[in-house]
Amino acid sequence: VQLVESGGGLVQVGGSLRLSCEASGFAYDDYAIGWFRQAPGKDRRPVACYRRRDGTTDYRDFLERRFTISSDNAKNVVYLQINDAEPDDTAVYFCAADPRGSCQIYDYYGQGTRVTVQV
């Protein structure tokens, strides 16, 4: 299994950014992809999750107000749209895969993509 994130970079406060997570190597299509982030000096925290089996999503910490997780199943890519960026969104963003599809236990992580929100 391989997960490759892309789309990180510098964004102004109030701006938008879309992160991508390309997944490959799964034997079945009912896995779940979660997005996590790790701010400087802090622990990694979950952001959102997408269940490929039924298209349902979960969000943490009320981030659904500004974040949207979505998927292009034909391309095996899961996106994380960040809108109205805030300085606290500065972090390395990782995607992770739960082969069981439940958004509970993640066995695989990507290398991460860095997002910096500039004031």
Side-chain angles (χ1 to χ4, degrees):
V1 171
Q2 187 174 19
L3 303 171
V4 179
E5 302 95 336
S6 62
L10 188 65
V11 60
Q12 301 294 318
V13 168
S16 298
L17 203 63
R18 190 177 76 164
L19 309 181
S20 300
C21 173
E22 183 173 359
S24 61
F26 288 96
Y28 303 99
D29 290 338
D30 57 354
Y31 54 87
I33 295 291
W35 280 99
F36 294 74
R37 66 182 182 180
Q38 186 168 16
K42 297 186 178 180
D43 294 335
R44 185 165 57 192
R45 294 181 59 86
V47 172
C49 184
Y50 173 86
R51 298 178 186 85
R52 189 183 168 108
R53 180 188 304 131
D54 56 12
T56 57
T57 59
D58 291 336
Y59 293 87
R60 296 295 187 95
D61 301 332
F62 306 104
L63 289 171
E64 66 268 28
R65 296 181 294 111
R66 299 185 296 110
F67 287 34
T68 302
I69 190 170
S70 62
S71 177
D72 184 335
N73 287 345
K75 296 180 179 179
N76 295 322
V77 177
V78 174
Y79 302 100
L80 184 69
Q81 177 75 33
I82 303 172
N83 295 323
D84 193 20
E86 299 177 354
D88 285 348
D89 295 331
T90 294
V92 178
Y93 286 73
F94 301 87
C95 64
D98 175 355
R100 292 155 290 279
S102 63
C103 295
Q104 295 291 327
I105 301 173
Y106 296 90
D107 294 347
Y108 308 99
Y109 284 82
Q111 293 299 306
T113 186
R114 185 177 301 276
V115 173
T116 302
V117 181
Q118 190 172 47
V119 176

